[in-house]
């Protein structure tokens, strides 16, 4: 932990810089770009029935969208208002009226005709409901009836047979903490959260490299660092406010480098709506693009390090920060020996980047005295994701980019407060303040007043698979309690997931809105519970941003569309715990949000201070401005560790393509539009390199099919600047091509990496039954009607 405190927001550069302009034509006319003003007007119209409340959320609340930490219209990076349409799109979740009962209680097959997007637009869940086996409609029930049925089932089951899951949808640290405590109070370690699907490898890699599991630096460190490197991250798409930081960084001399298989338009040119200069003329974001093969990042990083070691043979100190290595880093000789032994041809083939380009990138980084490494799902959703990020750490450590201004390692989170989920203990490997080591278990048991289950919990993917185990298996999952989330649109192999969800005895959906997974059958009952939003949460709530800022978001009054029967999520968990085990309910008897915050400060010592956050704008950063300040790490010996490994072997066969899944016109899995504003990609388009397409005589816009042993994807070819041998679809539409049951090697999160074959649609349809699949694909059959 560091001693230097964050200085607070700084003023942005006032001078305009025409060198950064995309075009002298105002407002990007003639360009493919988002239409922020038009889209904002549409959002205002959509919220017109609750406009004053929407305004108060924007002005007083902490953003429940990306994890940049915007509180009201302000943050801790730059002075001035921050606005983005992503935040505005999420707004309707908080202002919407209840679903019309006539719509809500129609036949289940009629409801199943709607997409999650269409269901979301119908409004919020108004009251507790149940749909029992064989029933065609949801029935309204009381809270007591709902909770008694859930609690009664849990009392019947072995704790290994039920699980909890929390999405990233506006959930606060208080809810994560109480859910984590409730799960262990009820005797189960089966608890997981959406954050781990995205960034659990980041935590595992950083822990073994430097002893911390969070960003070591701040967004302010972007401003004026020599190089800002984005690995597999489209920050401008997932976190649009970040473009304001990028623009300011470039004005202060920062070089922005993007490493991604697809030359993302949102990282090339962007029009920032809250900056007049950029809103008018746009901003060129990236200085250099390196289009790496999907899964080829480790080879690229090893190529960078290999050239550095070659540079060192010519002139010592030309690439490696030897003073930093000597004082603060282990395993240098082992890493050097391993990397130097690797063959350049293999590095080039695996990475997809020429030797000359690798050398160019390595020399750019070698000349940079400071640098910040930023990454996201492009590195984390692989079977070797932890190794991906450990090699990013290697690159930064060799340059000494740790624990000081303008330097650091930053996993860029995609949702507000997901950083807090594991820190509150809401996953199978974590407890508040640490893991399941003997010392931390003893500390938490003393604080909580009960013994923790002493068996390992399963991750979300494994728990879903466990629903398909034999009835007499002790880990056969029979009840799943979900706070939000839609496994049909986030997990690989949605068909299998639907089968597993329907094989549960009871499924509980604690949520704000309906989605397609809510409508799946269960063997005994599906129970739906209406939750309050973070802005309605009794006593307000905390969220932790990417840069470890813990913000207080107050309870905001004045909701004209208030859901009368909705309850704060943490209150529902307390109620559940008391009903399942009433004999010891005093151990989990939180009365107020302040009670929870007081215990959080004890449960996770680095959060000591958050109990004093009480009003809008209050913020506390744990760990200081820089973790590992001065290069001193919270590892047993105080030193960082370089991690040595071999390049992962590609399982790509001749004629196959690596599959990239990206997001467009959406926030995480929540889709808001059919066309991506940045590249006009439709939801069933396939990004393909023109040279790859021409080799198969595929024309731009032509119907094509992607397929593998897992599934089939129909779409249209869209010529794009994507690395040859790689194709791209949108997420979650491409999930049918990912394989269920394949997990990251360290943290057991789903692997979304897939190899696919590409065919012209007419050729595929003519041969599919005998050549490709053992069974017909109904949606590809000719329909004479």
């Amino acid at each position: 932990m560091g001693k230097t405190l964050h200085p607070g927001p700084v003023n942005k550069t006032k001078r305009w810089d025409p060198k950064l302009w995309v075009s002298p034509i105002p407002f990007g006319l003639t360009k493919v770009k988002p239409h922020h003003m038009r889209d904002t007007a549409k959002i205002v119209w959509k919220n017109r029935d609750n406009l004053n409340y929407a305004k108060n959320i924007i002005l007083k609340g902490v953003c429940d969208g990306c994890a940049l930490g915007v509180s009201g219209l302000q943050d801790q990076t730059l002075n001035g208002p921050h606005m983005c349409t992503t935040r505005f799109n999420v707004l309707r979740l908080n202002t919407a009226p209840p679903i019309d009962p006539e719509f809500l209680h129609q036949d289940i097959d009629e409801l199943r005709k709607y997409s999650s997007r269409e269901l979301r637009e119908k409004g919020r869940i108004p009251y507790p409901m149940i749909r029992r086996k064989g029933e065609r409609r949801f029935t309204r029930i009381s809270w007591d009836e709902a909770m008694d049925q859930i609690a009664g089932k849990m009392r019947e089951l072995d704790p290994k047979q039920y699980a909890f899951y929390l999405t990233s949808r506006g959930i606060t640290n208080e809810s994560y903490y109480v859910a984590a405590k409730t799960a262990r109070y009820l005797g189960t370690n089966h608890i997981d959260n959406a954050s781990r699907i995205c960034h659990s490898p980041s935590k595992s890699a950083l822990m073994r490299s430097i002893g911390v599991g969070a960003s070591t630096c701040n967004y302010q460190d972007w401003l004026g660092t020599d190089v800002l490197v984005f690995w597999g991250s489209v920050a401008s798409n997932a976190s649009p406010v970040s473009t304001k930081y990028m623009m300011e960084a470039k004005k202060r001399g920062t070089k922005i480098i993007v490493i991604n298989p697809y030359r993302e338009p949102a990282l090339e040119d962007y029009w920032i709506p809250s900056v007049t200069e950029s809103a008018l003329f746009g901003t060129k974001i990236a200085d250099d693009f390196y289009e790496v093969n999907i899964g080829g990042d480790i080879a690229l990083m090893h190529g960078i390090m290999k050239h550095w070691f070659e540079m060192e043979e010519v002139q010592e100190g030309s690439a490696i920060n030897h003073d930093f290595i000597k004082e603060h880093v282990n395993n240098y000789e082992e890493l050097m020996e391993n990397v130097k032994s690797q063959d350049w041809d293999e590095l080039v083939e695996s990475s997809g980047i020429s030797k000359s380009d690798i050398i160019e990138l390595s020399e750019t980084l070698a000349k940079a005295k400071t640098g910040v490494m930023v990454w996201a799902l492009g590195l984390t959703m692989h079977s070797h994701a932890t190794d991906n990020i450990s090699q990013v750490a290697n690159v930064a450590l060799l340059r000494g980019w740790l624990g000081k201004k303008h330097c650091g390692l930053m996993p860029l989170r995609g949702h507000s407060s997901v950083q807090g989920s594991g820190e509150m203990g809401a996953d199978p490997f974590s407890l508040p303040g640490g893991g399941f080591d003997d010392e931390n278990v003893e500390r938490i048991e003393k604080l909580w007043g009960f013994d923790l289950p002493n068996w390992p919990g399963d991750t979300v993917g494994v728990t879903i698979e466990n629903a398909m185990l034999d009835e007499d298996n002790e880990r056969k999952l029979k009840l799943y309690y979900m706070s939000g989330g839609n496994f049909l649109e986030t997990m690989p192999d949605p068909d299998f997931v639907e089968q597993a969800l329907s094989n549960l005895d009871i499924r509980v959906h604690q949520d704000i809105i309906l989605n397609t997974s809510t409508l799946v059958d269960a063997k005994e009952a599906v129970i739906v519970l209406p939750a309050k939003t973070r802005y309605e949460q009794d006593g307000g709530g905390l969220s932790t941003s990417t840069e470890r800022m813990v913000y207080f978001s107050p309870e905001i009054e004045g909701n004209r569309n208030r859901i009368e029967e909705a309850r704060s999520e943490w209150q529902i968990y307390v109620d559940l715990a008391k009903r399942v085990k009433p004999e010891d309910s005093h151990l989990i008897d939180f009365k107020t949000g302040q009670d929870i915050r007081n215990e959080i400060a004890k449960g996770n010592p680095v959060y000591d201070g958050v109990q004093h956050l009480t009003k809008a704008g209050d913020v506390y950063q744990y760990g200081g401005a820089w973790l590992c300040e001065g290069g001193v790490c919270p590892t047993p010996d105080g030193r960082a560790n370089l991690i040595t490994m071999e390049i992962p072997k590609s399982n790509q066969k001749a004629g196959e393509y690596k599959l990239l899944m990206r997001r467009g016109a959406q926030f995480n899995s929540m889709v808001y539009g059919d066309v991506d504003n940045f590249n006009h990609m439709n939801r069933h388009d396939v990004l393909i390199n023109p040279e790859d397409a021409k080799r198969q005589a595929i024309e731009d816009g032509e119907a094509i099919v992607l397929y593998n042993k897992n599934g089939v994807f129909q779409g249209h070819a869209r010529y794009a600047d994507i690395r040859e041998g790689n194709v791209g679809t949108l997420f979650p539409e491409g999930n049918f091509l990912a394989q269920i049951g394949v997990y990251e090697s360290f943290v057991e999160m789903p692997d979304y990496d897939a190899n696919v074959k590409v065919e012209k649609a007419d050729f595929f349809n003519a041969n599919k039954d005998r050549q490709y699949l053992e069974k017909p694909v109904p949606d590809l059959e000719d329909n004479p009607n």
Side-chain angles (χ1 to χ4, degrees):
M1 300 301 172
K3 297 179 181 179
T4 304
L5 299 179
H6 193 286
V10 298
N11 293 325
K12 65 178 184 291
T13 303
K14 293 182 179 179
R15 61 176 173 78
W16 287 22
D17 189 350
K19 294 194 302 296
L20 301 182
W21 294 358
V22 176
S23 169
I25 302 174
F27 302 109
L29 297 176
T30 75
K31 299 287 185 180
V32 176
K33 62 178 287 291
H35 301 282
H36 294 115
M37 303 306 174
R38 182 193 67 187
D39 292 343
T40 299
K42 289 181 179 179
I43 292 165
V44 171
W45 179 254
K46 186 177 290 187
N47 288 276
R48 65 190 181 279
D49 61 335
N50 209 355
L51 203 55
N52 190 60
Y53 186 63
K55 179 198 72 175
N56 287 336
I57 288 174
I58 295 296
L59 295 178
K60 300 176 183 179
V62 173
C63 176
D64 58 346
C66 73
L68 296 187
V70 178
S71 178
L73 294 178
Q74 314 297 322
D75 67 14
Q76 297 299 306
T77 302
L78 286 171
N79 285 315
H82 300 304
M83 297 175 286
C84 77
T85 51
T86 295
R87 184 181 185 187
F88 294 160
N89 277 323
V90 178
L91 189 60
R92 191 57 176 166
L93 292 176
N94 306 286
T95 67
I99 301 173
D100 185 335
E102 185 175 346
F103 174 86
L104 187 59
H105 296 290
Q106 63 184 312
D107 187 89
I108 192 67
D109 283 340
E110 291 300 311
L111 288 176
R112 286 171 177 157
K113 293 177 181 178
Y114 293 85
S115 67
S116 288
R117 175 185 174 187
E118 291 166 332
L119 290 169
R120 183 174 72 242
E121 291 173 349
K122 293 296 181 181
R124 288 178 57 183
I125 299 167
Y127 37 68
M129 302 185 299
I130 191 169
R131 189 169 67 86
R132 300 175 182 86
K133 181 181 179 181
E135 293 181 343
R136 303 297 307 164
R137 291 171 171 80
F138 282 109
T139 302
R140 180 175 182 173
I141 57 175
S142 70
W143 270 101
D144 282 339
E145 289 175 297
M147 298 305 289
D148 282 343
Q149 180 148 349
I150 300 165
K153 184 67 176 181
M154 282 188 166
R155 285 194 297 269
E156 294 176 9
L157 297 176
D158 184 300
K160 293 186 178 73
Q161 295 180 319
Y162 50 78
F164 294 87
Y165 175 81
L166 293 90
T167 188
S168 48
R169 177 259 310 135
I171 290 181
T172 61
N173 287 348
E174 289 86 348
S175 293
Y176 284 127
Y177 184 86
V178 177
K181 186 174 182 180
T182 296
R184 276 55 183 247
Y185 174 77
L186 298 179
T188 187
N189 278 323
H190 294 329
I191 180 170
D192 212 344
N193 65 81
S195 165
R196 287 194 1 92
I197 294 178
C198 300
H199 269 295
S200 51
S202 298
K203 180 179 179 180
S204 63
L206 291 176
M207 287 296 296
R208 69 173 180 169
S209 290
I210 58 175
V212 300
S215 172
T216 69
C217 57
N218 302 286
Y219 300 120
Q220 270 191 16
D221 291 308
W222 294 15
L223 313 182
T225 184
D226 289 345
V227 290
L228 179 58
V229 185
F230 289 95
W231 293 86
S233 168
V234 190
S236 49
N237 198 354
S239 306
V241 172
S242 66
T243 57
K244 193 170 186 177
Y245 310 153
M246 296 181 212
M247 179 180 182
E248 181 64 22
K250 290 178 70 71
K251 285 191 171 185
R252 297 185 184 207
T254 297
K255 185 183 187 71
I256 295 180
I257 298 169
V258 178
I259 298 163
N260 201 59
Y262 172 49
R263 192 179 182 97
E264 283 283 354
L267 278 173
E268 189 161 28
D269 300 329
Y270 201 92
W271 283 257
I272 305 168
S274 58
V275 179
T276 303
E277 178 186 5
S278 184
L280 285 171
F281 304 114
T283 301
K284 297 176 183 176
I285 300 294
D287 294 289
D288 294 323
F289 270 94
Y290 292 90
E291 293 177 41
V292 66
N293 275 329
I294 297 165
D297 301 274
I298 291 175
L300 173 57
M301 288 181 263
H302 282 201
I304 291 168
M305 292 185 284
K306 182 177 178 68
H307 184 62
W308 282 355
F309 293 129
E310 292 173 351
M311 291 172 65
E312 288 293 313
E313 292 176 355
V314 177
Q315 182 181 350
E316 184 175 343
S318 58
I320 307 297
N321 186 333
H322 291 283
D323 290 340
F324 185 85
I325 297 294
K326 182 178 179 181
E327 292 293 326
H328 301 296
V329 180
N330 297 322
N331 309 324
Y332 176 76
E333 296 294 333
E334 180 182 353
L335 175 70
M336 179 174 62
E337 182 180 345
N338 173 268
V339 170
K340 288 175 69 173
S341 68
Q342 293 177 13
D343 182 74
W344 267 115
D345 289 340
E346 292 180 6
L347 296 175
V348 168
E349 181 180 3
S350 178
S351 68
I353 297 179
S354 68
K355 180 178 179 181
S356 61
D357 283 347
I358 295 176
I359 290 173
E360 174 189 72
L361 174 58
S362 65
E363 292 183 350
T364 297
L365 297 179
K367 293 173 184 175
K369 294 181 179 179
T370 57
V372 177
M373 297 288 196
V374 182
W375 67 89
L377 276 61
L379 289 189
T380 64
M381 303 189 99
H382 297 267
S383 60
H384 54 269
T386 295
D387 288 333
N388 274 343
I389 294 141
S390 69
Q391 301 309 292
V392 176
N394 282 355
V395 171
L397 289 171
L398 290 175
R399 294 293 302 132
W401 294 344
L402 183 70
K404 60 183 180 180
K405 189 175 183 179
H406 293 154
C407 293
L409 296 161
M410 179 178 284
L412 191 59
R413 301 285 186 169
H415 232 306
S416 179
S417 198
V418 292
Q419 178 65 41
S421 58
E423 292 166 347
M424 299 298 103
D427 75 52
F429 307 130
S430 300
L431 293 169
F436 277 85
D437 57 277
D438 292 343
E439 182 179 352
N440 198 46
V441 168
E442 181 180 354
R443 184 181 67 85
I444 291 298
E445 288 182 337
K446 183 177 180 180
L447 174 66
W448 286 354
F450 57 84
D451 292 337
L452 302 178
N454 60 1
W455 46 271
D458 288 329
T459 59
V460 57
V462 176
T463 53
I464 292 172
E465 290 187 68
N466 286 352
M468 300 301 292
L469 294 174
D470 294 336
E471 288 295 322
D472 58 354
N473 192 300
E474 69 167 3
R475 293 177 94 91
K476 157 71 176 175
L477 198 72
K478 298 186 178 182
L479 185 151
Y480 218 137
Y481 194 112
M482 292 169 278
S483 291
N486 184 353
F487 294 153
L488 297 181
E489 296 176 7
T490 54
M491 302 297 291
D493 197 346
D495 287 341
F496 174 85
V497 172
E498 182 172 2
Q499 184 182 4
L501 293 179
S502 65
N503 206 44
L504 293 159
D505 290 355
I506 288 182
R507 218 173 54 250
V508 182
H509 294 267
Q510 177 177 302
D511 212 334
I512 297 170
I513 52 175
L514 295 179
N515 62 54
T516 53
S517 71
T518 324
L519 310 180
V520 174
D521 291 333
K523 291 166 72 174
E524 294 180 12
V526 177
I527 298 173
V528 181
L529 304 175
K532 288 185 176 181
T533 70
R534 72 161 50 179
Y535 306 116
E536 299 166 329
Q537 179 172 294
D538 296 74
L542 303 175
S543 61
T544 309
S545 76
T546 290
E547 57 182 348
R548 299 171 280 106
M549 296 283 185
V550 187
Y551 288 89
F552 180 77
S553 191
E555 184 178 353
I556 298 174
E557 303 289 343
N559 186 358
R560 293 182 59 187
N561 291 329
R562 184 169 174 241
I563 307 300
E564 295 296 334
E565 293 197 41
R567 292 184 178 180
S568 295
E569 306 220 34
W570 65 262
Q571 290 181 328
I572 305 173
Y573 282 113
V574 170
D575 186 10
L576 176 66
K578 289 182 176 183
R579 291 174 192 259
V580 179
K581 294 177 63 177
E583 65 275 10
D584 293 317
S585 60
H586 64 283
L587 297 174
I588 198 162
D589 190 24
F590 295 110
K591 296 280 195 302
T592 68
Q594 187 62 48
D595 291 342
I596 306 170
R597 290 187 283 277
N598 291 341
E599 188 168 304
I600 287 173
K602 298 175 184 177
N604 191 332
V606 300
Y607 274 72
D608 188 11
V610 300
Q611 67 270 38
H612 306 303
L613 308 180
T614 58
K615 62 182 186 300
D618 282 357
V619 59
Y620 165 86
Q621 186 185 36
Y622 75 77
W626 308 297
L627 299 185
C628 307
E629 186 168 356
V632 179
C633 299
T635 53
D637 62 359
R639 297 167 66 89
N641 299 300
L642 295 169
I643 306 298
T644 298
M645 60 164 294
E646 300 301 321
I647 299 170
K649 297 298 182 184
S650 174
N651 59 354
Q652 187 175 2
K653 298 177 182 177
E656 290 183 335
Y657 293 80
K658 285 287 186 182
L659 177 65
L660 165 80
M661 282 189 277
R662 62 184 293 276
R663 288 163 171 77
Q666 66 195 98
F667 182 58
N668 289 342
S669 63
M670 295 175 63
V671 175
Y672 287 100
D674 295 324
V675 179
D676 183 358
N677 285 328
F678 292 106
N679 64 0
H680 286 183
M681 180 182 184
N682 290 294
R683 301 215 65 83
H684 285 85
D685 281 350
V686 178
L687 301 175
I688 186 168
N689 186 288
E691 296 305 314
D692 284 331
K694 290 172 184 176
R695 278 190 286 271
Q696 294 185 242
I698 294 172
E699 298 293 333
D700 192 19
E702 183 175 4
I704 61 173
V705 174
L706 310 186
Y707 67 95
N708 58 20
K709 65 180 180 180
N710 307 316
V712 175
F713 179 92
Q714 296 183 95
H716 291 86
R718 175 172 287 274
Y719 287 4
D721 193 347
I722 187 171
R723 171 61 60 188
E724 289 185 50
N726 302 266
V727 292
T729 66
L730 287 173
F731 172 94
E733 284 79 2
N735 283 5
F736 285 95
L737 297 167
Q739 183 176 350
I740 196 76
V742 180
Y743 298 105
E744 202 276 339
S745 53
F746 286 85
V747 295
E748 296 183 4
M749 294 316 296
D751 174 20
Y752 290 82
D753 198 4
N755 297 329
V756 298
K757 289 190 176 182
V758 179
E759 296 282 4
K760 295 161 72 78
D762 55 358
F763 186 82
F764 179 91
N765 284 323
N767 293 278
K768 67 177 185 295
D769 290 337
R770 67 174 184 270
Q771 185 172 341
Y772 301 117
L773 300 170
E774 295 179 357
K775 61 182 180 180
V777 181
D779 59 354
L780 290 179
E781 293 295 322
D782 292 333
N783 185 353
N785 297 321

